[in-house]
Amino acid sequence: MLKKDNFLILLILACSVLVVYLLQMAQLLSWLRYISAFEALLCALFFTFEAFQSTVPWRSKSKLLLSALPFLCVLLVIIPFSSYPSPYLLPQDATDAVLNAISTFWEEACGSLLLCLMTVFAFKVQKFHSEIASIHE
């Protein structure tokens, strides 16, 4: 039997694969970078705001603020690449077609994993925030 967390992770992974598949079918796979950056920005802002609004001591607030750091790191990794156009070449021969297929597969796989892992991590951080708050009540 699947535990609740494992089922949630599988559900999130399935949803992220579906989102990537729909973007790829609509020829909008480059938007995946913007969606990931937007999710990371929202999570970082939400958890930072939540940390400052909590009534826990500053030592615990620092732990809460550190939980937003991975989302900021994702932003630092994604933002430099978001200005580049899609790296796909116009297929002129078989080599370009193979390189396009590999590039597309790589971006789909990494994009769906990134969306899944960020969402799961956001749920874990939210649980961590509620545990810290319940300890200090």
Side-chain angles (χ1 to χ4, degrees):
M1 203 68 180
L2 286 175
K3 291 183 356 186
K4 182 181 174 184
D5 287 344
N6 292 341
F7 178 74
L8 182 66
I9 291 170
L10 287 175
L11 182 65
I12 291 170
L13 181 62
C15 290
S16 65
V17 167
L18 179 68
V19 166
V20 169
Y21 177 74
L22 291 174
L23 286 173
Q24 200 269 339
M25 287 287 110
Q27 302 292 328
L28 300 172
L29 192 57
S30 61
W31 284 19
L32 188 59
R33 301 174 199 160
Y34 304 115
I35 292 171
S36 300
F38 185 68
E39 181 184 8
L41 180 67
L42 279 179
C43 288
L45 289 175
F46 176 75
F47 292 130
T48 303
F49 180 75
E50 188 175 284
F52 278 116
Q53 293 297 326
S54 68
T55 59
V56 298
W58 275 100
R59 183 176 177 139
S60 296
K61 276 189 185 186
S62 65
K63 292 177 186 175
L64 297 178
L65 287 173
L66 282 176
S67 64
L69 186 64
F71 296 109
L72 296 175
C73 292
V74 166
L75 278 175
L76 289 176
V77 169
I78 290 178
I79 287 177
F81 295 106
S82 64
S83 63
Y84 291 114
S86 191
Y88 310 117
L89 307 168
L90 294 175
Q92 296 174 356
D93 60 0
T95 305
D96 290 341
V98 169
L99 288 176
N100 283 341
I102 292 171
S103 182
T104 301
F105 178 74
W106 184 255
E107 191 163 357
E108 288 172 353
C110 291
S112 63
L113 280 178
L114 182 65
L115 279 175
C116 176
L117 292 176
M118 273 197 316
T119 307
V120 168
F121 186 71
F123 283 127
K124 296 294 182 181
V125 168
Q126 182 62 39
K127 186 176 178 182
F128 173 71
H129 278 230
S130 63
E131 287 175 2
I132 292 287
S134 68
I135 289 172
H136 292 286
E137 285 182 351

